[in-house]
Every structure is written in structure tokens, then in C-alpha cells.
Amino acid sequence: MRFASVIPDIPTRALRDTFDYLVPEEMEAACVVGATVLVSFSHRNVVGYVLATSDEPPAGVPAEKVQPVAQVLAPSAFDEHAAVVIRWMAHEYACPLCEAVRPWLAPGQRVKVTRTDEASPWELVREQAGPMDARWVELLDPGFEPVRNASRQRAVVQALLAGPQRLAELSATIPGAGTAVRALQKRGVVEVTSRRLVRGGEGTTLSSAAAPRPESLTRGQTEALAVIDAARRRADGSVVLVDGVTGSGKTEVYLDAIEHALAEGRGALVLVPEISLTAQTVGRFRSRFGEDVAVLHSRLSTGERYDQWDLVRQGRVHVVVGARSALFAPLADPGLIIIDEEHEGSYKQDQAPRYHARDVAARLAAERGCALVLGSATPSLEALERCREGSWRGRTWTRMSMPERPGGAVLPKVTVVDMAQQFRDGGRSVFSPPLRQALEGVVERGEKAVLLLNRRGFANFLMCRECGAVPECPHCSTALTYHERTHSLMCHSCGRSWPVRAYPDPSTACPVCGSRYMAAYGVGTQRVEDELRMLLPAGVEVIRMDADTTRQKGAHQRLLEQFDAAECAVLVGTQMIAKGLDFPEVTLVGVINADTMLKLPDFRAAERTYDLLEQVAGRAGRGEKVGQVIVQTYWAAHPAIQAVVAHDRQVFLEPELAERREAGYPPFSRLGNVTVTGRSATAVREVADELAAGLRVVVGERAGWEVLGPADCVKARVKDRTRRHVMVKCPVGADLGGLLGDCAARVKARPGVSLAVDVDAHDMM
Ligand code: ADP
Ligand code: ZN
Ligand code: ZN
């Protein structure tokens, strides 16, 4: 007799383990690990997932008392190795087991069943899954020059230069690609053919028009590749960090490393941030591996994603390229897992299961016996520290540096403008004289400029306009946020608050220099746009890109195209413009305010500022012309800013690491954050208090552990719900997930109040 351990899909902390069911004989072939089944649970039918099977009856229960599996609803979506990682995720991220299963399921699968009538079997309700679009687009005339305003056609032609692509992918990465392809087809520039995938391993047919491969690799590339190959052959979950500046050829290294894995009969999972999952990126993988690539992109339809996922499951493609969730694709034998731009915050999932893709990938690589490759121009402090140590969680971590671009590159000149000095000299404009002059130069020469307005610092704080000082909590060394309604300054780590005596009376004195000009800080993109239009001659296009102007689907791409097509233009935007932007004509990058993030009550603020500035600086002068970067700041001396000026990461790293070690922050500790939300402020308060008290009892005198709070979240109210949080710090090797999971499960449930446990939290607002 066969038995299956099933986790019912009922997302509650009360359900912490699987339940055993009997597998009826006729279901034995289908009821395997990873299958979705229907079982009876507490006298009702529920959907569940098989995490293990066994020939032994469950201990202590007579076999005939074990209930049977009612029905198999979906074939296996994951294997035994994945099941091990799923159990680990549930523990590590303190989430219900079924929530750790869900990311591994087929795209579009839902937790709902239906049937036509009483007599027919149940079926899973799926999101609409249309048939796969088998049309491929191939470029016939690589020399074709679209007219200037046909920017979509240009984007399509550019993407296809790397090699043929599926029409569905083009449409996902370039909105409106369908129309452009039809126009190009009429002119004979592209050809659209319907092809079925080659069945039975006859090989691929598409990589003929491939993008040129570099004649030889640079020394840095050769060395990195050798270390990755060795790690893959060791098959023990070793990690290699490719630390290479933008354009140093990291992607080229990935492509070669994957080729080697394929030659050995293994596959590869490649994760890129959603925003860099562009037609160009997809094109490079397609050109090298043709039809052997599945692309998992959130902008593909559910049906498309399902079909791509299913190709992987059937073992018909061996390279998976996608955003965070590609990690869970059912690839039987990956030799490599690659995470590009590993420092990106988007690799941390902000809903349950609140996993970090880098850490799950490390666990998965260890379980499957493959190598993990991380790539970045600005690696996370976690990755750097683990490489410095040489190991983490029992696996080897190695950093390989690629400091140069293949052709040799001219780094842009970075100038810092001290805005406090500007203020003291009487400057009140958003644009300092140096930035204004640089803009005028760009306009005279008919070039393009990008202006970044840092808006992530939505949290208001008071800042001295003369010296840049911001009042900080004496206990937590985080900036105090200013609350207009109560005229108070508040610390969101420990919950203490202070009244602002006379604000906005200008007699409020700066704690550092005594200046009377303390003011709430922050300007909007709208105001920058208005001032810019007054500053520049009428012919210059000003394009604004922020949350307001990109609300509509495809608007982001449309604005970029408009900028691309313009003769002379200035693009103003929030951090969404920092990435994936590659226009050779941009000769000036201006950062209006480098500081809002620096003073956020978040210990990663400086790291994020450094990453962002380094990224935007990399956008200037990618073509033949040398670029210029101007950074306006109230903290000109801050290491994060000085490091960008000096083109030297150490300038930022050394003081930052020292500070983190001193204050006990990651990567020298772990940090968990539990957020309590609900409509009733009283209930939220009670739950948060109970949780904190419980945590304090368990943590007790344990060395290196600390419970902070409860305190109001920085976003203290969202959608009429009150939010409070409790933070826990512990040593790097400690079982934070286990402890938070236990304590959260013990808190008495109150209707309308929810608990969100975030282990290794990134966003503590
Ligand atoms: P990254 O991923 O680090 O930004 P890419 O792999 O995209 O870098 O490489 C940047 C550019 O340099 C690409 O156009 C690529 O084709 C080219 N390139 C990469 N490696 C070499 C090489 N060894 N020789 C010449 N060109 C190269
Ligand atoms: Zn001051
Ligand atoms: Zn504090």
C-alpha cells in the first residue's frame, strides 16, 4: 500500500505539518511528490499538495483508518529536492507550509475546484490559458533604418539583431511590437514564421543568425569562467560572485558558463530583475541557445507563461530566463543558477513567503548539487561579507573581480555640488549654478540629459538648510521622522518621540550649527519639471517619468521611446529611470537630490544611495562622447557620495561596514521584522505588545539577541489600517525564522488583526 504526505492549502500558522492519506491503487502513478490532490480534511474537500510518499503506513494509525486521496487534480510540479527546499522555506521564512509550496506551482493554478455536476470529477479552476503562440520573428534586413519617429520599429529591429525571437516575447518586452512587426513585414524587413518546437531531440534550428561572439575573453572573464566551471563540477552548492562593473562582460561569462553546463547535459536557471528583462536581454539568450530557452516574464499572458513552464517540466528546454520566480521553474537538473544584479531589492519578495531569491537559490544549489553564480557591479554587503569570510552556511563563496570593460572605457567625471553651501550663498533654486550651466551646454550642443529626482524618501524629516543636519534618535542612530499633525519627531525603531517645540517657527534651532532654517525636506517631480521648462528654451523636450506619468500600461516604454526619438531632450524622473536605460546620446546625468534615501530610517539607506548613484553614473557617456555627472547633495562628505566621485567602492565600504558592525546590523547580524496591522488601533497595540512580550521571554538573555519595539511603522496608517512593528536582531548563524514562527503562532488570534513575519527584512517601513 502507498501513502502520501499532503499539506492542505489552508494558509494558517496552526497547520504546521503534512497529513497522511492512502493512495488508491489506480492513482499510484499520478499521486507522486509535487502533485496537487483533493483530500478530505475536517469533513470538507480541500486542495492539497503531495510533499512525500511512502510504502509504510503512518506511525500509530491502523492502515484501514487512513483516509484515501479523493482525486489527483494536477500532475507533479516539483520533485523531492524541491520538497526539501519547500520545508526549509516554511521554517526559514516562518510561513505556513502551503504558502511555501505555491511559488512552485504551474502559472495560473488556483486553489479552487469546480465540477459540471454531482457525478463528474472535480477540476482545478485555472486562469485562462490560451494556446501557445508559435510565431517567431526573424530579421531579414539588418541594415534597415526606420524613420526617426518609428521608435517601436527601431526597438524591434534592434532586439532582432541578436537573433530571432518569439512574437509573444517581443510584445511582452516592447509594447505595441505586434503593429511594428506587421509594418516591418510588409516592407520585407522581417519574416514571421510559425514553428513548432522540434520534438525528439533533433536539435535547434534557430541560432544561425546569432549575435557575434567576442573573439576572445578578457583575462577577468577567463578567470571567472574557470572558477564557475570548477564550482559546477564540484556540484556542492558553491557560490561565485562575479563582481564586475557595468559593461565588463558579465553576461558574456554567463552565456559561456551555461554553454558548458549544457554540454555536460545539465541546464541553467537565470534570474534577472524584472526591469532588465528586456528584448535585448532575451535576444542575447535566444541568439546563443535558440529554442532551448524558456522565458518567464510577468508581462506574458498566464497561458503563455504556463506553456513556457510546461516546456521546462517536460524537459524540452534547458535554459530558463526570468524574474525572481524563475527560481521555482521545474528544471530537472540545473548545473547552474545565475542571479544577475544580485544586489537588487526586488529579489526580496514582499508578500508571504517573504523569501530572498539569493538565499533560496543558495539552498536550492546545495540541495541540487549545482553552482550559484551572483553578478553585480555593486554587490550587496551580504554577498561581499560572505566572500570575505570564504563560506556561508557550509558552502564556499568566492569573489571574482572584473574591473575593466573589454574595450577600455572612459569613466564619466563626477562633480558634487554642496547644496548647503549653495543655500548659504543665497541659492534657492532646485538647480545649482553648475547644473544649470551643464544643462545649458547640453542644449547648445543638441545633446540629451537625464535628471534623477530621488523620491524614495517619502518619509518626512526635518533638515537644516544650512548644514544638512537631521535630528537623529540618540538610542538608535536613525533619522527621526517629522509628523506634522502632532508636531513631533519620532523614532521608528524604538518608538520614542519628542515634541518639536516651535516648528514651523523659524526659531527652531539646528542641533548642530544653530541655524534657524530647519525645514521639512523634499520636492516633487512636477516642480522640477516646471522649473526646468522655465529654464530651457522652448524647443527642448522635457519628459517627466514618475509614478503619475507611468500609471498607464506601456507608458514607461512610450516615454523612453519619446526620449530616444527626440533631437534634444531632458528626461526627469524618479529612480525608475536609473536602470536599463542605455542611450548613447546622454552626456549629462544630474542628480537633483542624492540625499533623501541617505537619511531614511533604514540601515541600508547608504548602501541603496551608493548603488543608485553608481548606476546612474554608469548611464552617462556610454557612446563616443565623454559623459558628465553632477550630484547635488546636502551631505557632500558622505562616504556613499565620495565613493562615486572617486570611482572607488572602498571609500564607501570601509566606514559603512564599521558602522554596521558597531550597531549590530546585517551582514553582521540578522534582522527580523513583524508587522501587525488592523483597523482597530487598540487591537493592533494589544497584539504587538503581546508579541513583543512573548519574544522577550523566549529571547531572554541569549547573547547577541535583541527585541526592539513595538513602535509605530513609518507608514503608520495604510488604507485605514494601523500598523505597528516589532524587530528582532540575532547573530548571523541563529535560527531566526524558527523563533519568529513559534512566537507568532503563539499570539492569540484577534479578528481583523494580521501578523506579517519578515525574516531578513529589507523594508522596515
Ligand atoms: P555586463 O553584463 O557586465 O554589463 P556584457 O556582457 O553585456 O556586460 O558586455 C558589454 C558589452 O561588451 C557587450 O556589447 C558585449 O558583447 C561586449 N563584450 C563582452 N565581452 C567581450 C569581450 N571579451 N570582447 C569584446 N567585447 C565583449
Ligand atoms: Zn545646521
Ligand atoms: Zn530610537
Side-chain angles (χ1 to χ4, degrees):
M1 267 195 287
R2 231 167 146 64
F3 300 89
S5 305
V6 175
I7 179 71
D9 195 322
I10 305 170
T12 155
R13 284 182 204 287
L15 274 193
R16 308 198 75 182
D17 209 346
T18 52
F19 295 81
D20 292 308
Y21 291 87
L22 178 77
V23 180
E25 219 164 290
E26 71 277 11
M27 290 185 205
E28 276 186 13
C31 193
V32 293
V33 171
T36 301
V37 293
L38 193 71
V39 292
S40 164
F41 185 78
S42 297
H43 308 291
R44 58 191 181 102
N45 277 334
V46 299
V47 171
Y49 314 108
V50 180
L51 285 192
T53 58
S54 163
D55 294 327
E56 301 289 324
V61 190
E64 62 279 5
K65 282 274 173 69
V66 182
Q67 293 210 52
V69 170
Q71 207 184 308
V72 176
L73 296 166
S76 173
F78 54 86
D79 63 10
E80 287 83 358
H81 293 295
V84 172
V85 178
I86 285 168
R87 283 188 182 278
W88 173 84
M89 281 173 74
H91 180 92
E92 178 72 7
Y93 296 107
C95 68
L97 200 45
C98 68
E99 281 182 350
V101 172
R102 285 187 194 162
W104 303 80
L105 300 174
Q109 178 168 331
R110 296 203 285 162
V111 194
K112 207 174 157 199
V113 287
T114 176
R115 61 178 169 183
T116 27
D117 57 66
E118 293 272 308
S120 53
W122 292 94
E123 272 175 59
L124 273 177
V125 176
R126 285 181 191 283
E127 278 164 46
Q128 200 55 44
M132 172 124 121
D133 186 342
R135 285 173 298 169
W136 287 72
V137 189
E138 194 161 357
L139 187 62
L140 299 179
D141 176 9
F144 177 73
E145 259 301 316
V147 290
R148 185 123 191 128
N149 59 8
S151 51
R152 246 164 248 170
Q153 292 186 19
R154 180 147 1 118
V156 168
V157 169
Q158 245 162 30
L160 294 176
L161 278 174
Q165 282 196 41
R166 297 181 51 234
L167 183 56
E169 273 157 28
L170 280 176
S171 306
T173 46
I174 307 170
T179 322
V181 165
R182 269 196 300 282
L184 290 167
Q185 199 181 2
K186 267 200 208 118
R187 292 158 163 244
V189 179
V190 301
E191 185 183 40
V192 181
T193 43
S194 264
R195 20 189 143 187
R196 281 275 117 87
L197 249 142
V198 192
R199 284 172 208 246
E202 285 146 70
T204 60
T205 51
L206 271 170
S207 37
S208 52
R213 234 179 233 261
E215 273 168 30
S216 62
L217 296 183
T218 64
R219 203 170 126 209
Q221 286 175 316
T222 311
E223 287 171 3
L225 187 60
V227 172
I228 293 169
D229 281 344
R232 192 194 66 248
R233 278 190 227 103
R234 276 202 306 281
D236 62 356
S238 294
V239 182
V240 182
L241 170 65
V242 183
D243 177 5
V245 296
T246 315
S248 59
K250 295 184 293 296
T251 310
E252 213 58 48
V253 172
Y254 307 153
L255 291 171
D256 283 1
I258 294 170
E259 205 160 64
H260 297 177
L262 291 175
E264 217 176 48
R266 309 186 75 184
L269 297 171
V270 185
L271 274 57
V272 299
E274 183 82 42
I275 195 146
S276 33
L277 197 50
T278 59
Q280 275 79 4
T281 311
V282 174
R284 283 178 82 177
F285 282 88
R286 282 256 175 254
S287 90
R288 190 67 81 86
F289 306 114
E291 289 180 60
D292 207 6
V293 181
V295 177
L296 292 172
H297 197 298
S298 71
R299 269 170 284 165
L300 289 171
S301 72
T302 309
E304 276 284 336
R305 260 183 298 138
Y306 176 83
D307 286 338
Q308 295 281 301
W309 181 91
D310 200 45
L311 286 177
V312 180
R313 194 175 63 97
Q314 293 175 35
R316 286 161 65 186
V317 300
H318 302 92
V319 180
V320 181
V321 180
R324 187 176 58 211
S325 63
L327 192 55
F328 307 107
L331 186 65
D333 184 19
L336 287 173
I337 303 174
I338 296 171
I339 303 186
D340 192 30
E341 311 281 0
E342 66 83 28
H343 65 280
E344 269 286 313
S346 61
Y347 284 123
K348 181 76 161 84
Q349 160 106 331
D350 55 9
Q351 284 165 10
R354 293 180 175 78
Y355 65 89
H356 198 299
R358 178 180 55 225
D359 297 346
V360 176
R363 185 68 188 82
L364 188 62
E367 174 62 30
R368 287 215 184 274
C370 63
L372 170 62
V373 177
L374 306 173
S376 176
T378 53
S380 61
L381 268 54
E382 282 82 353
L384 287 173
E385 182 57 20
R386 291 168 195 174
C387 288
R388 203 190 52 75
E389 290 265 329
S391 74
W392 183 69
R393 295 185 175 166
R395 311 288 150 171
T396 315
W397 283 61
T398 313
R399 183 176 76 96
M400 296 305 291
S401 154
M402 302 206 311
E404 274 143 33
R405 291 184 181 169
V410 197
L411 293 169
K413 181 170 166 15
V414 182
T415 314
V416 170
V417 180
D418 182 342
M419 293 305 275
Q421 184 65 46
Q422 295 293 329
F423 186 88
R424 289 195 291 272
D425 294 347
R428 297 291 182 274
S429 161
V430 176
F431 304 102
S432 62
L435 182 54
R436 217 174 306 148
Q437 277 153 24
L439 277 168
E440 280 159 10
V442 165
V443 169
E444 267 165 34
R445 294 188 299 273
E447 296 167 352
K448 288 179 189 172
V450 169
L451 295 180
L452 173 76
L453 181 74
N454 209 337
R455 288 278 291 162
R456 211 181 264 134
F458 66 87
N460 256 324
F461 43 81
L462 282 190
M463 190 189 67
C464 171
R465 298 299 301 266
E466 287 194 83
C467 79
V470 168
E472 286 187 0
C473 174
H475 307 278
C476 308
S477 65
T478 49
L480 296 172
T481 55
Y482 168 64
H483 292 256
E484 204 163 9
R485 216 163 36 85
T486 50
H487 291 312
S488 62
L489 292 168
M490 187 179 254
C491 171
H492 290 278
S493 289
C494 68
R496 291 181 178 88
S497 77
W498 292 263
V500 180
R501 270 164 311 255
Y503 185 84
D505 180 323
S507 65
T508 308
C510 166
V512 175
C513 75
S515 160
R516 296 180 307 128
Y517 295 101
M518 294 293 283
Y521 184 64
V523 287
T525 31
Q526 180 71 58
R527 182 168 148 216
V528 176
E529 184 190 353
D530 294 346
E531 283 206 25
L532 202 55
R533 283 188 197 281
M534 284 195 285
L535 192 72
L536 301 176
V540 183
E541 260 193 78
V542 176
I543 297 158
R544 172 161 67 103
M545 203 154 105
D546 58 18
D548 288 336
T549 63
T550 55
R551 201 158 288 145
Q552 266 180 353
K553 195 166 169 258
H556 187 264
Q557 183 70 24
R558 225 174 8 254
L559 291 170
L560 287 180
E561 283 168 8
Q562 194 186 336
F563 182 59
D564 189 28
E567 291 287 344
C568 173
V570 182
L571 176 67
V572 187
T574 52
Q575 42 279 345
M576 67 172 73
I577 65 170
K579 286 166 217 147
L581 196 72
D582 196 358
F583 299 114
E585 302 105 318
V586 172
T587 51
L588 169 69
V589 171
V591 181
I592 309 259
N593 55 343
D595 312 317
T596 54
M597 287 198 298
L598 270 179
K599 288 291 163 179
L600 281 187
D602 172 354
F603 71 92
R604 281 195 184 84
E607 184 179 356
R608 286 184 180 142
T609 304
Y610 171 74
D611 289 354
L612 180 67
L613 291 182
E614 194 55 36
Q615 292 243 6
V616 282
R619 302 290 149 212
R622 302 197 107 195
E624 278 118 55
K625 294 173 196 148
V626 184
Q628 174 176 202
V629 180
I630 295 181
V631 179
Q632 300 190 150
T633 173
Y634 282 90
W635 293 287
H638 195 287
I641 288 168
Q642 285 304 319
V644 179
V645 176
H647 297 293
D648 180 1
R649 190 198 298 158
Q650 278 323 104
V651 170
F652 160 66
L653 272 188
E654 273 164 26
E656 179 68 17
L657 285 170
E659 210 168 287
R660 297 245 193 127
R661 196 187 285 277
E662 171 85 6
Y665 277 121
F668 304 106
S669 71
R670 303 186 72 184
L671 193 66
N673 185 38
V674 187
T675 308
V676 184
T677 51
R679 277 182 200 284
S680 154
T682 324
V684 166
R685 200 165 268 281
E686 283 169 11
V687 171
D689 287 347
E690 186 188 331
L691 174 73
L695 283 166
R696 288 203 162 88
V697 169
V698 178
V699 164
E701 298 294 301
R702 284 194 212 185
W705 286 75
E706 195 182 348
V707 179
L708 300 160
D712 282 348
C713 296
V714 172
K715 296 184 212 164
R717 263 184 103 66
V718 173
K719 292 181 185 156
D720 281 331
R721 297 173 133 253
T722 304
R723 306 172 76 242
R724 273 173 83 72
H725 70 151
V726 182
M727 293 199 283
V728 178
K729 273 191 200 173
C730 70
V732 173
D735 179 15
L736 180 58
L739 183 130
L740 289 180
D742 285 346
C743 288
R746 240 176 274 142
V747 172
K748 199 170 106 232
R750 288 180 187 61
V753 178
S754 58
L755 274 189
V757 180
D758 194 355
V759 175
D760 298 332
H762 270 224
D763 179 1
M764 277 144 300
M765 311 271 218

